[in-house]
Amino acid sequence: MRSAILALACVGAAAGSVIGVLRPDVDLFGDTIDMLNQTSSVEQGVPGIAADPRTSRVVEAPVELAQAPVATPPAGTPAAPVEGQSPAAGGEAVVVDESALRYFASKGDKARLEAEIARLRALYPSWTPPRDPLAVPQNADQALERMWQLYSESRYAEVRAAIADRQAREPGWTPPADLLERLALAERRSELVAASDAKKFADVVSLAADAPSLLTCSDVDILWRVAEAFAGTDRRIRARDAYSYILKNCTNQPERIATIQKAAALLDYADMQELLGNEKTLADGTREFESIRDDLARRFVAEGDDDDKLVVGLPYIQRVERLVEREGLASDALLLGWYALRRDDMPTAERWFRKARDIEDTASASQGLALALIDRKAPLEAEAVMYRWYDTSDETKATYLAAVANTLAVEPVVVIASDILQRMATVTLKERDPASGQQFGWYALAFEQPKTAEQWFLSVLNWKPDDEPSAYGLAVSRLRMKDMTGLQAVQALWKGRSERIARVGEPEKRPTVPGLVERTVSPVVGAGAVSATAADEPRVVAYERPVARSEKSARRTVAGCKSTVDPQTLAPAAALSRGWCLMELNRPLEAAASFGVGLRATAEHVRRDAAYGQSLAYIRAGLLKEAAVAATKARQPRERAVELQSAILSDRAVAAFDSGRYRETLLFLDQLAQLRTERQDLMVLRGYAYKSLNRTADARAIFEALAATGQRDAVRALGDMRDQGSRPH
């Protein structure tokens, strides 16, 4: 049979009497915890309360009572203390309600009888318990005995009905105050549990505030529910305090372990480290939470997978590494792989993803390995890894298409097996992916197949009519096919929107610079890789995308911005995220508009990223003046400022050379050389600028230096100079 009360565990009756003075307007639970902590040392010395709270380990009854009212002494009560009486102030005795004591004695329940004696002695220090508690006679009041029995069985409505029925039959009868208070508290506990089960967390907190005597170690389940309610109402610190109270005051070992497990499901890594600081060393020298530390390590590393700013302690990382070696679970290797990838530690990420894939080839393992391979400039292997899984989710699909785009953009161009090329093309057409389709166009041009290239660029423009790079590719393809009517149609359509499309087909104003390479961002997911195309093909600047604070994973897809949205309807932060998404889809003009909205933000970091992104977008679109202006709209870190200035100077040098302004070309290249080491393709450009200015000695010196490194364009340039009879002065 379930008892009428719980044994008073860590807090006990003395704590209950302190909680009882809690004002209704106090800050919920925080003040309660403070008061409980202030009384914990007092409880240790309360006579009759077990020093080891484990005596209440088995919790059966539904409530915990931490205080009981003092009954009003009847007239004529003797002053001397006797069994069942306690002297009050002024020498008068107070009658102690021993009905619960008699009930437990009648049932022979020694454990609960001792707990009740402890409670009464705490409330009435001068009270003398019966010499032989088990010899206390059974309650003579059988009706009251029945009420206690109903109460112990949690049949509270029937207790109320029995009380009302007896009061109706016996108008002068008054139920024991102890029973009424216990009944009210039990009902309040039932309400709190029901609210908790229904996830009505605000109600849970309110009910707990009205019944603080429920918040004791003898009913840890209620403390857990209140902690969950705090977490569910965005009061994380209070939730942590609730769990911390249990660990600091309660000693039941299984409940302490369960507390850590429950807290780990709701609190973040930092809060959990604070709670784990309460861990105790057991008698055998082991740590009390050792049995769950493997699961905790997995949880913490997983949390690091979702938050690239979180630095998980090395012991947790090492523990998961040992788990991989000991248990051989692919899931553990994946945790380590994603953790490393989120921190751009690609070699480590690749190692763990390979390990996971060796154990079990899954979409997640293949995707992670593919991302690491793309970063390592091995996109063809990434394509092979991902093909089986590409249609599993939007994320795997985006990763596969990134591998396709990067494979096609490899410099120097590689011959891809026909079966692989066919499956890449099939997926690109099925998914209508502009980035991969555009790269197919340039790939066809590289193999002198302008008709095939034209078809690819037309397909992309059918999917995305405002894709300027594909329109430019279409113009170049038609020029190579000598389809001047088709070229003029493209130029008419893009008149006023793209200067470089307008210039396609103009007579060359400079000598051909074989193999002039211009760096371009490939539309990869998180890889930051670049592709290289010939001088008459799209120029795009490599960039490092700032990680948006709302991003939860390195596995984010770029599919979220394929639809057309007016950026003016977006909040600045949302517009910033959309701008980066559009950049990854190679839609720079749309991206520039989104970044423009991002510049309206009040947060400095959002404005800084928006200015950076808009400048890059204009560079990619060939609008250098606009790019220079955008770069000044927010102060940038030195690395970014150098990157933007270098990109703008590089483009200006190429544009000046295209226009035959060779002295300006050298001026821009000299300015660029002050910022960073000059790339080989730009050194070739410098050599041709010298040659065009009849500075053949300077030109030869550059070409010879580059040819010594095996640079093919420089070797070719030297051969041309010999054929023309050029000699240094």
Side-chain angles (χ1 to χ4, degrees), residues 418-458:
S418 60
D419 58 332
I420 296 176
L421 201 62
Q422 181 61 46
R423 74 187 188 190
M424 288 164 53
T426 300
V427 175
T428 299
L429 291 169
K430 175 185 175 183
E431 301 302 330
R432 302 167 67 89
D433 181 59
S436 298
Q438 184 191 132
Q439 290 294 352
F440 263 110
W442 294 116
Y443 186 80
L445 278 178
F447 284 96
E448 300 299 331
Q449 299 175 18
K451 185 61 179 177
T452 301
E454 178 191 38
Q455 293 172 349
W456 276 107
F457 290 128
L458 283 171

Side-chain angles (χ1 to χ4, degrees), residues 303-478:
E303 190 175 339
D305 290 354
D306 290 335
D307 181 3
D308 61 356
K309 304 300 182 186
L310 174 62
V311 179
V312 177
L314 183 59
Y316 295 119
I317 301 293
Q318 293 173 334
R319 182 175 282 265
V320 177
E321 290 176 349
R322 290 193 296 270
L323 284 170
V324 175
E325 301 305 323
R326 185 172 71 246
E327 300 181 6
L329 295 179
S331 57
D332 290 334
L334 283 175
L335 287 175
L336 296 168
W338 287 116
Y339 184 85
L341 186 141
R342 286 287 281 162
R343 284 145 189 83
D344 294 325
D345 183 0
M346 294 303 183
T348 300
E350 180 177 346
R351 174 165 61 90
W352 287 114
F353 284 130
R354 285 192 185 278
K355 180 76 171 179
R357 199 163 179 267
D358 288 344
I359 298 171
E360 182 183 4
D361 187 3
T362 62
S364 182
S366 296
Q367 184 189 7
L369 179 57
L371 289 171
L373 290 168
I374 291 172
D375 184 81
R376 186 162 62 78
K377 309 297 188 294
L380 188 58
E381 184 182 353
E383 187 277 338
V385 166
M386 275 307 298
Y387 178 69
R388 173 186 175 188
W389 302 101
Y390 89 87
D391 207 17
T392 306
S393 67
D394 287 343
E395 292 179 348
T396 55
K397 193 175 298 178
T399 302
Y400 177 75
L401 290 171
V404 169
N406 280 272
T407 298
L408 296 168
V410 167
E411 168 64 26
V413 178
V414 297
V415 177
I416 303 172
S418 60
D419 58 332
I420 296 176
L421 201 62
Q422 181 61 46
R423 74 187 188 190
M424 288 164 53
T426 300
V427 175
T428 299
L429 291 169
K430 175 185 175 183
E431 301 302 330
R432 302 167 67 89
D433 181 59
S436 298
Q438 184 191 132
Q439 290 294 352
F440 263 110
W442 294 116
Y443 186 80
L445 278 178
F447 284 96
E448 300 299 331
Q449 299 175 18
K451 185 61 179 177
T452 301
E454 178 191 38
Q455 293 172 349
W456 276 107
F457 290 128
L458 283 171
S459 294
V460 174
L461 289 169
N462 182 50
W463 304 334
K464 183 61 183 172
D466 59 352
D467 191 67
E468 190 270 352
S470 293
Y472 178 72
L474 178 61
V476 172
S477 301
R478 288 179 173 174

Side-chain angles (χ1 to χ4, degrees), residues 85-406:
Q85 296 180 342
S86 176
E92 296 183 356
V94 175
V95 176
V96 177
D97 185 350
E98 297 179 349
S99 57
L101 189 74
R102 291 193 297 273
Y103 175 78
F104 293 130
S106 69
K107 299 303 179 184
D109 192 337
K110 184 176 180 181
R112 290 176 176 79
L113 179 64
E114 290 177 351
E116 178 65 2
I117 291 173
R119 186 184 72 83
L120 293 174
R121 292 188 66 175
L123 289 173
Y124 313 108
S126 300
W127 172 73
T128 302
R131 292 185 179 87
D132 184 5
L134 293 180
V136 174
Q138 185 175 357
N139 291 318
D141 191 334
Q142 294 299 317
L144 181 59
E145 175 81 5
R146 175 60 180 165
M147 293 177 194
W148 276 116
Q149 182 178 352
L150 291 172
Y151 169 84
S152 68
E153 295 171 357
S154 303
R155 297 159 64 180
Y156 308 130
E158 294 180 53
V159 177
R160 291 286 186 192
I163 291 173
D165 181 66
R166 182 166 182 177
Q167 287 179 322
R169 290 185 288 102
E170 303 176 28
W173 180 80
T174 302
D178 190 25
L179 175 61
L180 290 176
E181 186 162 339
R182 289 173 186 276
L183 183 58
L185 197 64
E187 291 169 336
R188 181 57 55 90
R189 185 188 190 281
S190 295
E191 292 179 46
L192 189 150
V193 170
S196 175
D197 290 342
K199 305 301 181 184
K200 297 180 179 179
F201 296 128
D203 292 347
V204 172
V205 174
S206 177
L207 289 166
D210 290 342
S213 51
L214 286 173
L215 310 178
T216 67
C217 289
S218 57
D219 197 352
V220 172
D221 180 64
I222 292 298
L223 292 173
W224 288 336
R225 291 175 182 273
V226 173
E228 180 189 23
F230 278 131
T233 53
D234 297 325
R235 283 177 274 187
R236 179 185 55 80
I237 294 178
R238 285 298 172 80
R240 182 198 64 197
D241 290 344
Y243 291 124
S244 180
Y245 169 76
I246 297 172
L247 296 173
K248 289 179 179 178
N249 295 277
C250 307
T251 58
N252 182 285
Q253 192 62 36
E255 290 177 346
R256 289 173 61 81
I257 292 175
T259 296
I260 288 293
Q261 292 173 314
K262 290 178 177 292
L266 297 175
L267 302 183
D268 61 22
Y269 175 80
D271 287 332
M272 286 305 301
Q273 301 318 298
E274 183 172 333
L275 292 182
L276 288 168
N278 295 295
E279 185 176 23
K280 297 178 180 179
T281 301
L282 301 179
D284 60 2
T286 61
R287 295 183 297 178
E288 64 174 328
F289 302 142
E290 184 62 28
S291 63
I292 60 172
R293 200 165 290 275
D294 287 347
D295 288 337
L296 290 175
R298 289 180 171 117
R299 180 180 291 276
F300 296 151
V301 175
E303 190 175 339
D305 290 354
D306 290 335
D307 181 3
D308 61 356
K309 304 300 182 186
L310 174 62
V311 179
V312 177
L314 183 59
Y316 295 119
I317 301 293
Q318 293 173 334
R319 182 175 282 265
V320 177
E321 290 176 349
R322 290 193 296 270
L323 284 170
V324 175
E325 301 305 323
R326 185 172 71 246
E327 300 181 6
L329 295 179
S331 57
D332 290 334
L334 283 175
L335 287 175
L336 296 168
W338 287 116
Y339 184 85
L341 186 141
R342 286 287 281 162
R343 284 145 189 83
D344 294 325
D345 183 0
M346 294 303 183
T348 300
E350 180 177 346
R351 174 165 61 90
W352 287 114
F353 284 130
R354 285 192 185 278
K355 180 76 171 179
R357 199 163 179 267
D358 288 344
I359 298 171
E360 182 183 4
D361 187 3
T362 62
S364 182
S366 296
Q367 184 189 7
L369 179 57
L371 289 171
L373 290 168
I374 291 172
D375 184 81
R376 186 162 62 78
K377 309 297 188 294
L380 188 58
E381 184 182 353
E383 187 277 338
V385 166
M386 275 307 298
Y387 178 69
R388 173 186 175 188
W389 302 101
Y390 89 87
D391 207 17
T392 306
S393 67
D394 287 343
E395 292 179 348
T396 55
K397 193 175 298 178
T399 302
Y400 177 75
L401 290 171
V404 169
N406 280 272

Side-chain angles (χ1 to χ4, degrees), residues 27-83:
D27 196 2
L28 298 184
F29 205 75
D31 300 76
T32 304
I33 288 177
D34 290 342
M35 292 181 178
L36 287 171
N37 288 335
Q38 291 168 6
T39 62
S40 60
S41 60
V42 176
E43 295 159 19
Q44 301 299 325
V46 176
I49 294 184
D52 185 356
R54 288 176 293 182
T55 55
S56 62
R57 186 162 46 223
V58 180
V59 178
E60 295 183 358
V63 300
E64 163 60 34
L65 184 62
Q67 85 181 69
V70 178
T72 303
T77 301
V82 295
E83 288 187 359

